[in-house]
Amino acid sequence: MVPPKIAPLPDQAKRPVWSVMIPTYNCSRFLKETIESVLDQDFGKDLMQIEVIDDCSTDEDVEAIVNQIGAGRISFYRQPENVGSLRNFETCINRAQGHYIHILHGDDCVKPGFYKKIGELLERFPEAGAAFCRYEVIDDKSKYFGEDSLLMNKDGIVDDFLLHQSQKQWVQYASVVVKRKVYEELGSFYAVTYGEDWEMWARIGKNHPVAYSPLLLSQYRMHFSSISSNSYRTGKNIKDVMQVLGLINQYLPADDRKKLLKSAVRNYAHWACRFTGYLWYRTNSSKLVTRQLIGIMKVHRDRYVLTTAGAILWQVTKSLLRYYKVLPQKQPKKSSVL
């Protein structure tokens, strides 16, 4: 299996600098916020292409939403049939006319100053194939939930970006802009539907310098109707990540691969345990959480994993015992009125 090729554009006298490509599939309730976050930073049609690419959503009339909010400013393309996320992203890239491509999912957002800062990075560091910033995590009500950790404390080219990316997912779609010529050189997303971007950013880092800003200028939305969430329910996310880590490992120096792969799997298992605790908090689904924990322990077990998994399973067990009335129901805490 190899990455799908991206065809170069024919010679054109005039092209926009930016292509903001917004892939959507059944995330219409978030789309207005996504589009408005881009329009607030619009450089105009000559400089910025903005297009929504819909993979045959069934929740709402996406084209009507785009026309209402965009008022003619935003282009719309609907797939002739549902092609899946990977092919929809590929369509985004192929339809992009700009030199810089930002794939902004229809449930994510950019914060004020994102395009200005990323543009400055790509101009200041012309050798970079891509540039990214930090991102916030927001929930389905657009409330702040957390943020990415700090990679560097100032703007610049990331030293050993591939090494960093092989050990942890530092980049989200919403936070990164890639030069179109880099996609033309390296191809599109492939292999898996969870973690496919983790591999892509590593592939770019193997072949090109990557620029970075520590500013929090993008927002990744965590909710339970997304493509990622569907993978959690089946446990496919863990299998996909193991495949991704194997692919990335092949980009590393041969002598270091075994050690770095072991480290990457451990890092992922620790993160996945913590995230499973969040899944339990948000879904209260014993089936989902148990499937995740079993999958994690199949790929890595150490004291941290076993302790964390045990604590989560105890919470699940207590909940089930309360449900079947083996344990008394939790009593709400008494509140005092001052």
Side-chain angles (χ1 to χ4, degrees):
M1 186 181 294
V2 296
K5 293 183 178 180
I6 299 297
L9 292 174
D11 291 336
Q12 301 176 50
K14 193 173 184 181
R15 285 172 58 188
V17 176
W18 297 89
S19 284
V20 182
M21 313 304 286
I22 305 175
T24 62
Y25 179 67
N26 288 352
C27 59
S28 300
R29 63 189 173 123
F30 306 116
L31 186 56
K32 180 176 185 291
E33 188 177 355
T34 300
I35 292 174
E36 288 178 343
S37 76
V38 176
L39 290 177
D40 286 345
Q41 305 177 56
D42 185 10
F43 295 145
K45 285 187 176 182
D46 289 344
L47 294 177
M48 181 178 278
Q49 171 192 9
I50 309 173
E51 182 165 308
V52 172
I53 298 88
D54 182 53
D55 193 18
C56 292
S57 292
T58 58
D59 57 346
E60 290 189 48
D61 185 340
V62 178
E63 185 173 12
I65 296 173
V66 171
N67 290 338
Q68 180 184 4
I69 303 169
R73 172 64 182 91
I74 301 172
S75 303
F76 177 78
Y77 177 81
R78 180 179 170 89
Q79 298 283 7
E81 60 183 7
N82 182 266
V83 297
S85 58
L86 293 183
R87 298 291 70 77
N88 207 37
F89 302 153
E90 184 183 339
T91 300
C92 287
I93 300 169
N94 277 314
R95 290 183 62 83
Q97 300 293 305
H99 296 281
Y100 305 155
I101 300 178
H102 184 210
I103 299 176
L104 179 66
H105 289 193
D107 50 4
D108 294 337
C109 294
V110 285
K111 298 180 70 176
F114 174 84
Y115 295 107
K116 182 174 184 294
K117 170 54 68 175
I118 297 297
E120 289 173 353
L121 284 175
L122 291 171
E123 289 178 11
R124 181 179 170 191
F125 303 103
E127 71 274 24
F132 73 106
C133 64
R134 293 174 69 205
Y135 61 88
E136 294 177 348
V137 181
I138 57 176
D139 65 13
D140 54 355
K141 295 180 175 61
S142 299
K143 291 183 179 179
Y144 172 89
F145 184 77
E147 61 190 51
D148 188 26
S149 51
L150 190 67
L151 181 56
M152 303 193 314
N153 58 15
K154 62 179 181 179
D155 292 356
I157 294 292
V158 181
D159 290 335
D160 295 322
F161 174 78
L162 174 58
L163 178 61
H164 289 292
Q165 185 67 8
S166 74
Q167 300 298 294
K168 175 184 181 294
Q169 170 63 299
W170 284 96
V171 188
Q172 287 290 345
Y173 280 98
S175 70
V176 64
V177 172
V178 179
K179 291 179 177 177
R180 196 186 198 284
K181 65 181 182 181
V182 170
Y183 283 129
E184 293 169 5
E185 173 194 345
L186 301 178
S188 186
F189 302 87
Y190 82 120
V192 298
T193 55
Y194 180 92
E196 77 289 340
D197 59 322
W198 192 345
E199 184 279 329
M200 172 60 83
W201 318 138
R203 197 188 331 157
I204 291 171
K206 178 182 183 295
N207 292 278
H208 297 276
V210 176
Y212 171 79
S213 172
L215 297 179
L216 286 161
L217 294 174
S218 59
Q219 294 178 317
Y220 165 68
R221 191 183 303 274
M222 185 77 69
H223 62 97
F224 289 92
S225 57
S226 65
I227 295 168
S228 297
S229 296
N230 291 331
S231 292
Y232 305 146
R233 294 186 180 95
T234 62
K236 186 175 182 294
N237 60 311
I238 297 170
K239 295 177 182 177
D240 279 3
V241 167
M242 290 303 103
Q243 186 174 346
V244 163
L245 293 181
L247 289 170
I248 294 174
N249 194 246
Q250 297 305 304
Y251 303 152
L252 300 168
D255 291 344
D256 299 330
R257 287 176 186 170
K258 185 176 180 180
K259 175 183 68 176
L260 291 173
L261 181 59
K262 183 177 179 180
S263 172
V265 171
R266 181 189 66 240
N267 291 345
Y268 173 71
H270 288 192
W271 175 87
C273 276
R274 295 191 295 273
F275 185 71
T276 302
Y278 166 74
L279 289 176
W280 170 246
Y281 168 74
R282 285 301 303 270
T283 68
N284 208 37
S285 169
S286 58
K287 185 176 181 180
L288 182 154
V289 167
T290 302
R291 182 176 284 124
Q292 286 294 302
L293 292 176
I294 291 172
I296 293 165
M297 287 188 284
K298 282 182 178 179
V299 300
H300 181 78
R301 278 176 287 180
D302 60 14
R303 179 178 292 182
Y304 181 89
V305 168
L306 294 173
T307 301
T308 307
I312 295 169
L313 287 172
W314 175 234
Q315 295 301 317
V316 172
T317 302
K318 287 197 295 183
S319 177
L320 291 172
L321 291 173
R322 289 192 183 99
Y323 178 80
Y324 290 107
K325 299 182 180 180
V326 178
L327 285 179
Q329 294 295 319
K330 238 180 178 180
Q331 296 297 318
K333 292 181 179 179
K334 292 182 179 178
S335 60
S336 60
V337 179
L338 298 179

